[in-house]
Amino acid sequence: MNPVTATLNLLAYVNPWRRERLTTYIITRCLMAIGTALVVVSSIIFLIDYVEISKSLGQRGDLSSLQIVGLLMLKSPNIILVLLPFAFLFGTLSAFVGLNRRSELIAMRAAGMSAWRFVLPAAGMAAILGALTVTVLSPAATVLADQYDRFAAQQSQSDTRAKTGEIYLRQGDGKQQTVIHAREQSEDGRLIDASFWTFSLDEAEIPRFLTRIDASEAVLRPGTWQLKSARVSKPGETTLYYNTLSIGSNLSPERAFNRFAAPQSTNFWQLPGTIAQIESSGFSAAGYVLRLNQLLATPLMFAAMTALGAAFSLRLMRIGGLARLTLSGIVLGFMVFFLNQLCGSLGKAEVIPAFLAGWATPFAAFLTAMTLLVYTEDG
C-alpha cells in the first residue's frame, strides 16, 4: 500500500461523517484542494530556503547539492507549518469555487441541503488535522529544525556550548533566588572562580540580600553544588572559610549550561516542563506560555480559516461578484494572519495575557466566519 492510499484510508477512518456520502465527497474535495495549496506553498518555501542555504552554507566546497537538499528538508518543515493556515484558506476557497462553477452547490442547495451541512464538516476535519499537526507534525518539525541549527552552528563555529568565558546562571523558587557567576567553565564542566549571591523575596517579590559565597571551583551534581575553597559572607557576620561546601540546587546538570531553545523551536510536549523550569528559576516564561497557547489554538485556527474560505465562496455564480468576494476572503485571511502576529508580539511583551494573545485571533476569525455563514444562509 503506497503512502497516499494509506493517508486517504486513515482520513476516511477518522472522518466522523464517513457514512454520509455527500458530506464525505465535499470533505474529500476540500482535502485535495488543501493538499494542492500546501504543495504550492511548500514549493515556494523550498525555493527560498534553497537559495538561502546555498548562499550561507553552500559556499563551502565540501557541501554537495544533495547535502543542501538534505538541509532543506530539515529547515523548511518548521516554516511550512507557520504558513499552513493559508493552505487551508486557499484550498477551501479553491474547492468551493470549483463546486460552485460546476453547479454542484446549486444542486445541493436545490435538494434542500443547508450550507451548514457541508461547511461545518469541512471545518471539523480541519480541526482534526490541526490536532494532528500540533501533536505529531509540529514536534517532528521542531526536531528537524534543531538538527539543522546544530549543523549550521558547527559549520559557522558558533556552537555556544563550545565557547568558554563568563557564565551566568540563576536558580531558586518563589521564596529565594540565587544568582551564579563564574569567570569561566572548564572542559569537564567545572566553574572556575564562582560566586553565589542569594536573595530572599518578600510578599511584594522585593529581593533582600542574604549571603554571598565565593569558591575557587564549583561542580553541579544532582540536587547540589559542590564547592572548593569557599568563602561565605553574610551582612553583619564574620566571613567563614570552608575547604569543601555543599549547597542545594534545583538545576539539572544535563540542562543547566544549555541555553533554552527559542519558544518557536521548543517541542510541544516539552513546553510545560520548560515553562515550569523557567518560572522556578525566577525568569519570565511569557514567550513559552504564548507558544503553548498558540499551539493549543491551532485546531481552532485551521477550522476558522476553512470556514472563512467556504463563507466567501458560497455566492451563486448567476448572481455575480464571486471573484470579488473570493479576493475579499484572501485579503481577510492575510488580515487574520497579521492580527495573529500582532497579538503574539503583544503577548510576548506581556502587554496582554498570553492566553488572550494565543486564542483571540482564532476565536475572532471563527466568529467572523460563522457570522458570514449565518448572513449568507439565513439572510
Side-chain angles (χ1 to χ4, degrees):
M1 183 180 297
N2 58 60
V4 176
T5 304
T7 303
L8 291 176
N9 290 339
L10 176 62
L11 292 175
Y13 178 76
V14 300
N15 176 20
W17 304 275
R18 56 183 176 272
R19 297 185 182 276
E20 301 179 15
R21 291 187 177 182
L22 190 56
T23 302
T24 301
Y25 169 74
I26 294 173
I27 291 177
T28 303
R29 299 296 301 182
C30 289
L31 290 177
M32 293 175 60
I34 290 171
T36 303
L38 179 60
V39 170
V40 174
V41 172
S42 302
S43 300
I44 296 174
I45 294 175
F46 283 150
L47 179 60
I48 296 175
D49 283 346
Y50 184 85
V51 174
E52 180 183 348
I53 294 175
S54 298
K55 287 184 177 180
S56 59
L57 300 177
Q59 295 177 351
R60 298 178 66 252
D62 56 345
L63 274 183
S64 64
S65 298
L66 187 59
Q67 289 175 315
I68 294 177
V69 172
L71 293 175
L72 183 69
M73 297 301 173
L74 296 178
K75 180 183 179 182
S76 298
N78 219 16
I79 304 175
I80 293 174
L81 292 182
V82 175
L83 300 179
L84 200 53
F86 285 107
F88 281 86
L89 174 64
F90 298 151
T92 306
L93 276 170
S94 175
F96 279 94
V97 168
L99 293 173
N100 209 337
R101 290 183 183 277
R102 293 190 297 271
S103 299
E104 292 178 87
L105 286 183
I106 298 176
M108 296 177 193
R109 304 296 289 276
M113 187 175 184
S114 171
W116 301 101
R117 288 278 306 277
F118 45 82
V119 173
L120 290 183
M125 183 58 68
I128 294 174
L129 293 178
L132 179 66
T133 299
V134 171
T135 56
V136 179
L137 299 182
S138 181
T142 300
V143 172
L144 295 177
D146 181 65
Q147 293 180 1
Y148 171 81
D149 291 338
R150 290 174 183 271
F151 181 85
Q154 292 174 358
Q155 298 304 314
S156 59
Q157 298 181 350
S158 61
D159 190 355
T160 56
R161 290 172 296 178
K163 291 183 178 179
T164 59
E166 290 187 314
I167 300 294
Y168 286 92
L169 298 172
R170 188 171 176 177
Q171 67 179 34
D173 50 28
K175 297 181 179 179
Q176 283 192 357
Q177 293 290 323
T178 299
V179 179
I180 305 167
H181 169 260
R183 178 172 56 83
E184 63 177 343
Q185 181 183 7
S186 64
E187 294 183 357
D188 57 359
R190 294 179 293 112
L191 299 184
I192 309 300
D193 294 339
S195 299
F196 296 73
W197 289 274
T198 302
F199 301 84
S200 65
L201 301 177
D202 58 17
E203 295 181 356
E205 296 189 355
I206 299 176
R208 182 173 64 87
F209 176 73
L210 292 180
T211 182
R212 171 177 174 173
I213 303 176
D214 297 288
S216 61
E217 291 184 5
V219 180
L220 179 60
R221 305 295 184 192
T224 183
W225 282 98
Q226 302 289 339
L227 310 181
K228 291 184 179 181
S229 302
R231 184 173 69 252
V232 181
S233 304
K234 296 182 179 181
E237 299 183 11
T238 304
T239 300
L240 302 177
Y241 297 87
Y242 301 88
N243 290 329
T244 60
L245 179 66
S246 297
I247 61 175
S249 174
N250 60 356
L251 296 178
S252 168
E254 293 79 13
R255 302 181 62 180
F257 303 107
N258 293 334
R259 292 183 178 180
F260 288 109
Q264 299 296 328
S265 302
T266 305
N267 192 312
F268 169 75
W269 301 106
Q270 296 175 346
L271 273 172
T274 301
I275 292 171
Q277 183 176 358
I278 292 175
E279 291 180 343
S280 66
S281 299
F283 293 100
S284 173
Y288 298 86
V289 177
L290 171 65
R291 175 61 176 168
L292 179 60
N293 281 282
Q294 287 177 332
L295 288 175
L296 292 175
T298 296
L300 181 61
M301 175 63 84
F302 286 4
M305 295 302 251
T306 301
L308 279 175
F312 278 96
S313 55
L314 291 179
R315 188 182 182 92
L316 298 179
M317 290 291 296
R318 59 182 177 81
I319 299 179
L322 181 61
R324 183 174 57 186
L325 199 61
T326 302
L327 180 60
S328 300
I330 295 175
V331 173
L332 183 60
F334 278 101
M335 291 176 60
V336 169
F337 178 80
F338 286 116
L339 178 61
N340 194 38
Q341 296 299 312
L342 176 61
C343 289
S345 299
L346 294 176
K348 194 176 299 182
E350 300 186 59
V351 176
I352 59 177
F355 178 84
L356 180 61
W359 287 88
T361 302
F363 189 71
F366 190 76
L367 285 182
T368 301
M370 293 299 101
T371 302
L372 290 172
L373 284 172
V374 169
Y375 178 79
T376 301
E377 181 67 11
D378 301 325

